[in-house]
C-alpha cells in the first residue's frame, strides 16, 4: 500500500518511480529457487545399456597351414593361360630356378609375408601335398591349437579348379594324378575356430560348398542319435555352432578366373592380403592417375624408403594411413557386431580383413569379385579410397627427390591433420540423430602419434561429451586399449584430457574398473587427485574415477587403499569447489564400504570426525554425500565387534542425529539409510529402547491431562478437552505405541488428547536434536532409560527415526517406517510371553493388525495407537510404496502382556525377567534381520558425468527454447505491471465491489492467493489446493497436499512467479511442500519440516510463512516460540529468532531489499520488530503493544519511507514508524474481523468479518465499498469470511467464505 497524497500528479510520479526501481530488480535479476538438478529430475541412475564392445573372448591365430599346389612348370588341364602370363608367386618368379627350389622359395617367402602380421604363430608348409599329408597337417595343427584359431591358406594355381561337389585338388605321391579333397573332410580335420584363404580360380564354389556342408552337419546332429554318422577318418566333427565360427576368404566368384595380366603377380589375392602396401603401389602405377606424378615407374615404387613399422618414414606412414583408412571403411560399413568379430577379436584376422578391402578394390578392376564368409557389403567405392589415392599422390611425388638426394627431408602427409579437422567440423554440428563421424577410427590411430595426440584427445573428449551414445560408439571402434595405454604417459599436459575421457568411459561402462586395476591405472588418478596444481574440476573427475574403481570391487578397494586414497581425500575436504567436496566424500564412502581395513585406516586418520564438519556444508549434495560416507563407515558387517568399534559407530550415530531436520530430502534419505546400518548393528538394543518407550507411553496415558502451552488470558486458553492436535506429535506417538490396539480417536476424545499433552522429553518429538529449548514444559516427565551411557544415543537415534517416519517426503517416510516397524516387530515378538495369568492391574495390548472386533483393554489403555496413512486408514506401520513392511504377528487369542514384566530401573541391555518364551517356529521365521534400505543417490551423482559437461546449459544458451520462454515471461510480466498502474491510481477513491468471478470450492477455503502474472488463483482448504481461472470462471485443476489427517493447509505461496512458477504449501504440522506442474502433471519438488516444535493451541495460526523472492529466503513461524529463516539455495535453516512471546505468530513481513527488518504480528496483540543481523538474544529491537486483540496482518510499505501497518481482529488499523514505539496513525474500522489484506501498491484495505460482509477502505479510513451479497445468486448472502487476498499488481480482491464460495471483486472503470 502506498502513502499517497491527494494530488493525482504525485500519485503517478510515485508509482512510476517505484516501478522503475522494481524493474531493475525484477525478472532477469531475480533468482530462481528450487531449480537445481536435484529438483528438476528424478533421483535415479542412468539406464544401463549392455555394452557390446568388449569381446566375450579374445582369440589368437596360433597355427597356420600353408598348402601350395603349384606343380611348377605344369599347367592344369582346365586352364588355358595367356602368353605372356602372370608368373609371380609370393613375389618370386618360379621360372628363374628349378621347380623344386622355386617351390621351396615361394613357400618360404609366403611364410615371411604372413609372419609380418602374426610373428608368433606356428607355421607349417605343405608343398604340392597329398590328401594324407593335408589331413596329417591339419589334424596336428588343430590338436596343438586347442581352442584357438587355425589358418588354412590354399594356393591352387597348379591344379584344376574346384568342383561343384565341393572338392579341391591335391596330388598323389608320384605327382601323376590330381586327387580330389572334399571340403567336408577339410572341415572335419580343421575343426573350429578356423580361417580359410582360397587363392584359385572359381574359389567361390568352395565357399558355397562349405556352407552346404555346414548345413548338412547341423541336420546330421539333429537327426542322428549316434555320433558315428558325424565322424570321418576317426576324428570328431566340429559342432554346428563351432562351424559357424569359421571364416573364409576367396579370391573370386564361383564362375570367375584369376587375372593373368603379366604386370601383376599370379597370386594377386594373396599379395593383397599379405603385402598390401607393395601391391597398392604397383596397382597405383598401373592406373591413369599415376600420370599426375611425373617420372613414376614400377621399378621406382619398389624403392620407397623406410620400414613398415616406422611411422616416421614414407613406407611406415603409408602403412599407417592405410590401416586408418581401411579401419574407417570397415567401421562405417559393417554392422557393429560383425566389425567387432572381424576387426577387433583377432589381430591376424583383423589384418587380413583390412587387406581384403584392398583386394576387393584391386581385383574388381580386373573383373574378379572376392568372396568372404561372413559376407561383407561392397566397399570398393567408399569415399575414403579417394583419401588414400591423395595420400599416395602426395607421398610418391617426393619419391624421386628423396632417392636422388639422401639428405632431403620427407614431408609428412597432411592426411591425419585434415581428418582431425573434418572430425572437428562434425563436432560443431554433431548429435545423436546424425550419422556417426566417419573419422572416429582415424582419431584412435592418431592417438599413437605424439605430434597429433593432444589435439586428438581434446576432440575425442568433446565427442564423448555428447552423451552415453558417443561413449558407446567410441568403445565399439576400439578406444579402450589406446586410452588405457596412455595412462602410462607422464606428460602433464595429457592429464586433464585423460581424466575427462576416463570419467566419461566409467560413467557409461563401470566394468572397466578391473582393467584399470590390472594395469595399475588407478595410480594415475591418485596422482591427479593429489596434485595441488590441478584445477578442482579435474580433481573432481579423478575422484569420480577412483570412486568407480572401488565401487563394489574389492581388488579396487585394496589397490586404492595401498595408494593412500583416504588420506589424499581427507586432505582436500576443505576445498572451495562444491563438486570436489561431494566426490571426495563419495569416494571415501565407496572405499570403506564392507571393507574393514579401509575403515580402520579411516579411524586412524580421524576420517569420521573430519567428515562430520561437512554436515553443515552449504551445498545439499555435499551434505548428502557426507551422510552417505558416514553411513557406509558404520556399516560394519564383521561378526566380531570390539568396544572401540561400538564406540565409534555410536559416536557417528549421535553426530548424524543432528541432520534429522535438514531441509533437503536427499540428505534425509541418506540419513535413513545410515540409521538402517546402525540399527542393524545394534538391533537388540534398539528393540529394547522401542519396548521401553512403548511402555512409558502407556504409563503416561493413564496420567491426568497437563496444560501443553500457556497463553495470555485475553488470547487463547489451552484445551484440555477437544484440544487441537499437532499431527507430527500424534504420528510419532502412534509409531511409538502402535503395538497396542483400541478405537479410532476423535478430536473430542479427552483421554487421547491427554496422552499427547503429557508427552515428556523422553517421548516427544521436541526432545530430538534441533528442537527449540523454549518448548513448553510438561509434567509427568520420566527419566531416560537408565543403565549404560550409550542409552541416550539409542534414544536419540530412535526418536530421529520416528520423526523421519512422518517426513513430508513419502520416500523418506517409507524408508524410515520400514526400519521402525522391523525393530518394533522384533521388540514385540521377542518380549511375547508364552503363558501368563492375566492381571487386571496390568496394561494389555490387543493384536497389532487392524481388526474390527472389540478388544478388552485395561483401565488407562489409550483408545488407539495405530499409525495412520494419508487417507486416515489405520495401518500397522504399513509401507504403501516401495518397501514391503514387515508385519507384526497377529493373533486374535488372549491379549499379550508386556510392560509390567520389566522393571523401570532395568538396564537397556538386560534380557528382562526370566520366563518361558514361546518357541513357535512360525513367529521365529517372521522375525528377520533388518533389511537395509537403499537409495539411488550414488548412481544419480554418477549420471552427471554421463551427460554433456561442456555444452552451455539451457539457461545460458541464448538460442535455447527455455531462454526464449523466459524472455516471453519477462515481457508478459512487464506488460502486466504497466497495465495495472491505472487501476492502482484509481483504487483509493473507486468502488471495489464488481463481482467478476464466483464459484463454489471443494472445501472451505483457508488461504487464497493470486498468481501475479497469470489469470488464475490458488485456493487452499484443509488438504487440497484448487486452481481457478478467475477471468474465464473455470477450474483448472487441483492437487492433494498429502498432509496428514487432522492437519490443514495454513499457507500458500507462488515461488518464482516471474519465471517457472512453483507452488509452496504449508500445513499446521510445520511441513512445507513445494510442487511443480501443479495444474496438470503434479510433481513434488521438495518438502521439509520448516517447524518441528509446534505447540497445540486452541486458537493457533498453524504455519505462517513469508517468502522473499529477491533473497530466496523463507521465513516460517506460527504455533511456535521462534521465527525460523530458511535459505532455499542451501536448503538449510540459517537462523532461529526467539519471538519472546507466549503466543503464536499470526503474520510475518520483512524488508526483502535491505534484508534486515523482520516484523511479526502475534496472537497476544503485540507487533514485534527484529533485526536479523543481530544475535538471538539481541535481535528483538522493538515491541509495539497498542493492539488489544489478536493481530491479523502486518504489512511493510514499499520505499524508504514506508510505514509498518498492522491490523487486529478488534478492527483497529495502526500505522507505525519503525523508529518509534507509538503509532503515527490509527483507523478504527469494524469489530470482529476474521481476515484482512492490504494491497502492496494501491491505496486500499479489505476487511472480512464473521458477520458475513467485506468492507473496503482506503488508507484515510474512507469506506469505498461494502459487500454483503453475491451477485447473480438471487441475492444470496456471502458466508462468514475465512480469507482475503489482493492481486499483487491489479486491483482485484479474492474472498473465501465459510459457505465454500470464492469470489473475485474488481473496480469498475465506469464508476468514479
Amino acid at each position: 500500500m502506498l502513502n499517497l497524497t491527494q494530488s493525482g500528479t504525485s500519485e503517478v510520479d510515485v508509482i512510476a518511480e517505484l516501478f522503475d526501481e522494481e524493474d531493475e530488480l525484477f525478472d532477469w535479476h531475480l533468482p530462481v529457487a528450487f531449480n537445481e538438478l536435484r529438483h528438476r529430475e528424478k533421483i535415479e541412475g542412468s539406464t544401463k545399456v549392455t555394452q557390446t564392445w568388449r569381446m566375450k573372448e579374445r582369440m589368437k591365430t596360433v597355427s597356420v597351414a600353408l598348402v601350395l599346389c603349384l606343380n611348377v612348370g605344369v599347367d592344369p588341364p582346365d586352364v588355358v593361360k595367356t602368353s605372356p602370363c602372370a608368373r609371380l608367386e609370393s613375389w618370386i618368379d618360379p621360372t628363374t630356378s628349378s621347380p623344386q627350389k622355386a617351390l621351396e622359395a615361394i613357400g618360404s617367402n609366403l611364410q615371411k609375408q604372413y609372419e609380418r602380421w602374426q610373428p608368433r604363430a606356428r607355421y607349417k608348409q605343405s608343398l604340392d601335398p597329398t590328401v594324407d599329408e593335408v589331413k596329417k597337417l591339419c589334424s596336428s595343427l588343430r590338436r596343438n591349437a586347442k581352442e584357438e584359431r587355425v589358418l588354412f591358406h590354399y594356393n591352387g594355381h597348379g591344379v584344376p579348379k574346384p568342383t561343384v561337389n565341393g572338392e579341391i585338388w591335391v596330388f598323389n605321391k608320384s605327382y601323376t594324378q590330381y586327387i580330389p579333397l572334399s571340403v567336408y573332410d577339410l572341415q572335419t580335420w580343421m575343426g573350429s575356430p578356423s580361417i580359410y584363404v582360397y587363392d584359385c580360380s572359381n574359389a567361390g564354389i568352395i565357399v558355397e560348398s562349405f556352407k552346404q556342408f555346414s548345413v548338412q552337419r547341423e541336420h546330421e546332429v539333429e537327426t542322428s542319435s549316434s555320433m558315428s554318422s558325424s565322424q570321418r577318418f576317426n576324428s570328431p566333427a566340429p559342432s554346428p555352432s563351432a562351424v559357424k565360427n569359421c571364416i573364409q576368404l576367396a579370391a573370386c566368384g564361383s564362375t570367375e578366373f584369376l587375372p593373368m595380366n603379366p604386370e601383376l603377380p599370379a597370386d594377386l589375392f594373396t599379395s593383397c592380403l599379405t603385402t598390401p602396401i607393395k601391391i597398392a603401389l604397383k596397382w597405383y602405377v598401373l592406373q591413369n592417375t599415376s600420370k599426375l606424378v611425373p617420372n613414376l615407374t614400377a621399378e621406382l615404387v619398389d624403392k620407397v624408403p623406410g620400414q613398415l613399422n616406422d611411422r616416421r618414414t614414407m613406407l611406415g606412414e603409408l602403412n599407417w594411413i592405410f590401416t586408418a583408412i581401411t579401419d574407417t571403411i570397415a567401421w562405417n560399413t559393417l554392422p557393429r557386431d560383425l566389425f567387432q568379430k572381424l576387426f577387433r577379436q583377432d589381430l591376424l584376422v583383423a589384418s587380413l580383413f583390412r587387406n581384403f578391402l584392398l583386394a576387393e578394390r584391386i581385383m574388381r578392376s580386373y573383373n574378379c569379385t572376392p568372396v568372404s564368409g561372413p559376407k561383407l557389403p561392397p566397399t570398393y567405392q567408399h569415399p575414403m579410397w579417394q583419401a588414400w589415392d591423395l595420400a599416395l599422390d602426395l607421398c610418391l611425388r617426393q619419391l624421386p627427390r628423396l632417392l636422388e638426394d639422401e639428405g632431403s627431408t620427407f614431408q609428412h602427409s597432411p592426411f591425419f591433420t585434415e581428418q582431425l579437422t573434418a572430425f572437428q567440423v562434425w563436432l560443431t554440428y554433431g548429435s545423436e540423430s546424425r550419422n556417426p563421424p566417419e573419422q572416429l577410427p582415424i582419431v584412435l590411430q592418431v592417438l599413437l602419434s605424439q605430434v597429433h595426440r593432444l589435439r586428438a584427445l581434446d576432440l575425442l573428449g568433446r565427442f564423448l561429451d555428447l552423451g552415453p551414445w558417443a561413449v558407446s560408439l567410441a568403445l565399439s571402434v576400439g578406444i579402450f586399449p589406446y586410452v588405457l595405454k596412455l595412462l602410462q604417459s607422464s606428460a602433464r599436459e595429457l592429464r586433464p584430457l585423460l581424466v575427462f575421457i576416463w570419467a566419461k568411459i566409467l560413467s557409461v561402462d563401470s566394468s572397466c574398473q578391473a582393467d584399470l586395476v590390472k594395469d595399475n591405472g588407478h595410480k594415475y588418478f591418485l596422482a591427479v587427485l593429489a596434485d595441488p596444481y590441478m584445477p578442482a574440476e579435474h580433481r573432481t573427475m579423478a575422484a569420480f574415477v577412483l570412486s568407480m574403481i572401488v565401487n563394489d570391487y574389492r581388488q579396487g578397494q585394496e589397490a586404492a587403499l595401498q595408494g593412500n586414497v583416504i588420506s589424499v581425500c581427507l586432505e582436500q575436504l576443505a576445498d572451495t569447489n562444491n563438486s570436489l567436496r561431494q566426490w571426495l566424500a563419495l569416494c571415501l564412502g565407496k572405499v570403506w564400504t564392507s571393507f574393514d581395513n579401509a575403515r580402520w585406516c579411516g579411524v586412524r586418520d580421524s576420517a569420521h570426525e573430519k567428515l562430520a564438519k561437512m554436515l553443515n556444508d552449504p551445498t545439499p549434495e555435499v551434505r548428502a554425500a557426507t551422510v552417505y560416507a558416514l553411513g557406509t563407515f558404520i556399516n560394519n558387517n564383521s561378526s566380531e565387534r570390539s568396544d572401540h568399534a561400538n564406540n565409534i559407530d555410536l559416536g557417528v550415530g549421535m553426530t548424524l542425529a543432528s541432520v534429522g531436520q535438514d531441509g533437503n530430502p536427499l540428505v534425509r534419505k541418506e540419513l535413513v539409510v545410515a540409521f538402517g546400518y546402525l540399527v542393524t548393528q545394534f538391533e537388540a538394543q534398539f528393540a529394547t529402547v522401542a519396548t521401553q518407550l512403548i511402555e512409558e507411553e502407556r504409563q503416561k496415558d493413564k496420567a491426568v491431562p497437563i496444560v501443553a502451552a500457556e497463553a495470555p488470558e485475553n488470547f487463547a486458553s489451552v484445551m484440555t478437552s477437544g484440544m487441537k492436535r499437532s499431527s507430527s506429535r500424534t504420528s510419532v506417538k502412534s509409531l511409538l505405541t502402535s503395538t497396542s490396539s483400541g478405537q479410532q480417536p476423535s478430536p473430542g476424545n479427552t483421554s487421547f488428547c491427554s496422552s499427547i499433552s503429557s508427552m515428556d522429553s523422553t517421548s516427544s518429538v521436541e526432545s530430538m536434536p534441533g528442537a527449540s529449548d523454549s518448548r513448553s514444559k510438561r509434567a509427568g516427565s520420566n527419566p531416560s532409560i537408565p543403565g549404560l551411557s550409550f542409552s541416550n544415543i539409542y534414544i536419540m537415534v530412535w526418536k530421529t527415526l520416528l520423526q523421519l517416519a512422518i517426513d513430508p517426503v513419502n520416500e523418506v517416510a517409507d524408508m524410515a517406517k520400514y526400519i521402525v516397524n522391523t525393530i518394533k516387530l522384533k521388540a514385540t515378538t521377542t518380549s511375547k510371553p508364552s503363558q501368563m495369568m492375566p492381571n487386571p492391574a496390568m496394561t494389555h495390548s490387543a493384536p497389532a493388525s487392524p481388526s474390527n472386533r472389540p478388544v478388552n483393554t485395561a483401565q488407562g489403555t489409550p483408545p488407539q495407537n495405530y499409525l495412520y496413512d494419508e487417507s486416515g486408514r489405520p495401518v500397522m506401520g504399513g509401507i504403501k510404496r516401495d518397501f514391503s513392511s514387515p508385519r507384526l504377528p497377529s493373533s486374535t487369542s488372549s491379549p499379550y502382556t508386556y510392560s509390567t514384566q520389566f522393571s523401570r530401573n532395568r538396564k537397556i541391555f538386560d534380557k528382562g525377567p526370566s520366563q518361558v518364551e514361546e518357541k513357535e517356529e512360525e513367529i521365529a521365521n517372521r522375525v528377520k534381520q533388518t533389511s537395509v534400505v537403499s537409495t539411488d543417490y550414488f548412481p544419480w551423482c554418477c549420471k552427471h558425468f554421463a551427460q554433456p559437461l561442456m555444452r552451455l546449459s539451457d539457461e545460458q544458451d541464448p538460442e535455447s527454447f527455455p531462454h526464449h520462454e523466459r524472455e516471453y515471461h519477462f515481457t508478459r510480466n512487464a506488460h502486466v505491471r504497466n497495465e495495472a498502474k491505472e487501476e492502482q491510481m484509481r483504487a483509493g477513491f473507486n468502488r471495489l465491489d464488481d463481482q467478476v468471478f464466483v464459484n463454489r470450492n471443494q472445501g472451505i477455503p483457508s488461504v487464497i492467493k493470486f498468481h501475479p502474472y497469470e489469470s488464475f488463483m490458488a485456493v487452499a482448504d484443509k488438504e487440497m489446493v484448487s486452481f481457478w481461472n478467475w477471468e474465464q470462471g473455470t477450474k483448472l485443476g487441483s492437487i492433494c497436499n498429502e498432509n496428514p489427517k487432522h492437519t490443514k493447509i495454513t499457507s500458500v505461496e507462488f515461488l518464482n512467479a516471474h519465471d517457472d512458477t512453483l507452488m509452496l504449501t504449508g500445513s499446521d504440522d510445520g511441513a512445507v511442500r513445494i510442487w511443480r506442474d501443479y495444474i496438470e502433471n503434479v510433481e513434488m519438488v521438495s518438502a521439509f519440516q520448516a517447524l518441528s516444535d509446534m505447540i497445540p493451541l486452541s486458537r493457533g495460526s498453524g504455519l505462517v510463512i513469508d517468502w522473499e523472492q529477491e533473497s530466496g529466503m523463507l521465513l516460517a513461524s506460527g504455533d511456535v516460540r521462534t521465527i525460523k529463516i530458511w535459505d532455499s539455495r542451501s536448503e538449510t535453516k540459517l537462523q532461529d529468532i526467539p519471538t519472546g512471546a507466549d503466543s503464536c505468530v499470526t503474520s510475518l513481513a520483512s524488508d526483502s531489499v535491505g534484508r534486515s527488518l523482520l516484523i511479526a504480528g502475534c496472537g497476544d496483540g503485540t507487533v514485534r520488530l527484529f533485526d536479523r543481523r543481530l544475535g538471538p538474544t539481541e535481535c528483538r529491537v522493538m515491541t509495539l503493544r497498542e493492539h488489544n486483540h489478536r493481530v491479523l496482518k502486518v504489512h511493510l510499505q514499499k520505499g524508504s519511507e514506508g510505514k509498518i501497518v498492522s491490523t487486529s481482529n478488534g478492527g483497529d488499523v495502526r500505522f507505525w514508524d519503525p523508529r518509534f514505539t507509538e503509532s503515527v496513525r490509527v483507523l478504527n474500522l469494524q469489530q470482529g474481523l476474521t481476515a484482512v489484506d492490504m494491497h502492496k501498491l494501491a491505496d486500499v484495505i479489505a476487511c472480512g468479518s464473521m458477520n458475513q460482509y467485506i468492507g473496503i477502505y482506503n488508507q484515510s479510513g474512507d469506506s469505498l465499498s461494502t459487500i454483503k451479497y453475491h451477485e447473480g445468486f438471487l441475492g444470496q448472502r456471502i458466508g462468514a469470511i475465512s480469507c482475503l487476498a489482493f492481486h499483487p499488481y491489479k486491483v482485484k480482491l479474492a474472498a473465501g467464505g465459510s459457505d465454500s464460495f470464492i469470489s473475485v471483486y474488481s473496480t469498475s472503470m465506469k464508476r468514479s
Side-chain angles (χ1 to χ4, degrees), residues 187 209-220 243:
Q187 282 183 347
S209 300
F210 193 98
K211 294 178 182 176
Q212 293 173 4
F213 291 140
S214 298
V215 173
Q216 178 182 337
R217 287 184 186 278
E218 291 181 7
H219 181 70
E220 289 172 356
V243 171

Side-chain angles (χ1 to χ4, degrees), residues 921-1158:
E921 186 176 353
E922 181 182 354
I923 293 181
N925 291 334
R926 289 180 183 175
V927 180
K928 298 180 180 179
Q929 187 179 13
T930 305
S931 298
V932 178
V933 293
S934 61
T935 69
D936 280 338
Y937 177 66
F938 181 78
W940 176 74
C941 293
C942 296
K943 185 170 68 172
H944 167 74
F945 289 96
Q947 297 169 344
L949 301 178
M950 299 179 182
R951 191 177 61 191
L952 284 175
S953 65
D954 289 338
E955 291 78 9
Q956 296 171 323
D957 184 3
E959 299 300 324
S960 66
F961 175 77
H963 186 86
H964 291 315
E965 191 175 33
R966 294 190 79 193
E967 285 185 331
Y968 162 74
H969 285 158
F970 297 165
T971 304
R972 175 205 64 187
N973 300 348
H975 177 72
V976 170
R977 293 194 292 264
N978 290 327
E979 195 180 49
K981 289 181 181 180
E982 185 178 356
E983 287 186 53
Q984 295 164 12
M985 289 186 293
R986 294 173 175 270
F989 48 86
N990 259 18
R991 296 179 63 85
L992 183 62
D993 56 2
D994 188 4
Q995 190 176 53
V996 296
F997 168 83
V998 62
N999 219 314
R1000 189 181 185 92
N1001 195 51
Q1002 184 173 348
I1004 298 175
S1006 57
V1007 189
I1008 198 164
K1009 198 83 174 180
F1010 279 102
H1011 190 286
Y1013 303 110
E1014 298 189 38
S1015 58
F1016 67 84
M1017 58 184 178
V1019 181
D1021 49 51
K1022 190 171 185 292
E1023 58 187 15
M1024 301 288 292
V1025 181
S1026 302
F1027 300 94
W1028 296 86
N1029 188 315
W1030 54 269
E1031 285 187 346
Q1032 299 180 0
T1034 58
K1035 184 176 180 179
L1036 303 178
S1038 62
I1039 61 174
C1040 176
N1041 192 50
E1042 299 183 5
N1043 48 297
K1045 198 175 181 182
H1046 311 297
T1047 66
K1048 65 178 181 179
I1049 301 171
T1050 58
S1051 301
V1052 167
E1053 281 285 351
F1054 285 109
L1055 311 187
N1056 311 328
H1058 66 294
D1059 197 350
D1060 186 11
T1061 311
L1062 304 177
M1063 166 60 64
L1064 181 147
T1065 60
S1067 50
D1068 61 1
D1069 61 346
V1072 166
R1073 294 170 176 83
I1074 300 161
W1075 306 90
R1076 172 182 283 113
D1077 297 334
Y1078 38 82
I1079 292 180
E1080 295 178 353
N1081 304 314
V1082 183
E1083 176 188 355
M1084 180 183 283
V1085 176
S1086 185
F1088 61 96
Q1089 203 72 27
L1091 302 176
S1092 58
D1093 47 0
M1094 305 292 283
I1095 301 171
L1097 301 170
S1098 60
R1099 293 184 60 196
S1101 55
L1103 173 61
V1104 178
I1105 60 174
D1106 183 48
W1107 169 247
E1108 297 180 355
Q1109 187 68 52
E1110 295 83 356
S1111 63
M1113 302 290 183
L1114 179 70
L1115 284 59
S1117 191
D1119 296 343
V1120 289
R1121 300 293 185 259
T1122 58
I1123 301 171
K1124 299 182 187 296
I1125 301 178
W1126 292 84
D1127 179 19
S1128 64
R1129 284 170 292 190
S1130 64
E1131 298 185 56
T1132 55
K1133 184 179 64 179
L1134 298 182
Q1135 276 181 279
D1136 260 335
I1137 299 177
T1139 61
D1142 290 332
S1143 61
C1144 63
V1145 173
T1146 58
S1147 180
L1148 289 171
S1150 64
D1151 177 13
S1152 59
V1153 179
R1155 301 181 189 174
S1156 57
L1157 180 61
L1158 174 59

Side-chain angles (χ1 to χ4, degrees), residues 120-138:
R120 297 183 179 180
R122 180 183 183 185
Y123 291 89
K124 291 288 186 179
Q125 301 176 26
S126 186
L127 308 178
D128 290 349
T130 63
V131 172
D132 289 340
E133 289 172 347
V134 173
K135 175 187 174 184
K136 182 178 179 181
L137 171 65
C138 295

Side-chain angles (χ1 to χ4, degrees), residues 790-954:
F790 290 140
S791 62
N792 58 340
I793 300 178
Y794 297 128
I795 295 173
M796 185 184 301
V797 171
W798 183 247
K799 289 180 178 177
T800 307
L801 268 173
L802 293 177
Q803 181 65 44
L804 291 167
I806 56 169
D807 195 273
V809 176
N810 293 329
E811 291 87 349
V812 178
D814 289 347
M815 293 163 63
K817 284 176 187 175
Y818 183 84
I819 298 173
V820 168
N821 289 336
T822 306
I823 292 300
K824 289 193 302 179
L825 171 64
K826 182 176 179 62
T828 53
T829 52
T830 55
S831 60
K832 175 183 173 183
S834 57
Q835 295 179 355
M836 302 194 71
M837 294 298 294
N839 187 341
M842 295 180 181
T843 302
H844 295 280
S845 174
S849 57
S851 173
N852 294 326
R853 283 183 283 182
V855 179
N856 289 328
T857 56
Q859 184 178 3
T861 302
Q864 172 66 16
N865 291 308
Y866 288 130
L867 176 63
Y868 287 88
D869 63 11
E870 285 79 352
S871 62
R873 296 189 301 270
V875 296
M876 185 47 242
I879 305 304
K880 308 196 310 304
R881 294 170 182 82
D882 299 329
F883 305 98
S884 57
S885 173
R887 304 290 181 181
L888 293 179
S890 60
S891 172
T892 54
S893 60
S894 61
Y896 307 142
T897 304
Y898 303 100
S899 56
T900 55
Q901 302 305 310
F902 300 91
S903 61
R904 294 197 56 85
N905 58 358
R906 177 177 63 88
K907 291 186 177 181
I908 194 168
F909 294 100
D910 287 352
K911 297 180 179 179
S914 59
Q915 59 183 20
V916 179
E917 298 288 341
E918 271 193 343
K919 296 182 179 179
E920 299 178 10
E921 186 176 353
E922 181 182 354
I923 293 181
N925 291 334
R926 289 180 183 175
V927 180
K928 298 180 180 179
Q929 187 179 13
T930 305
S931 298
V932 178
V933 293
S934 61
T935 69
D936 280 338
Y937 177 66
F938 181 78
W940 176 74
C941 293
C942 296
K943 185 170 68 172
H944 167 74
F945 289 96
Q947 297 169 344
L949 301 178
M950 299 179 182
R951 191 177 61 191
L952 284 175
S953 65
D954 289 338

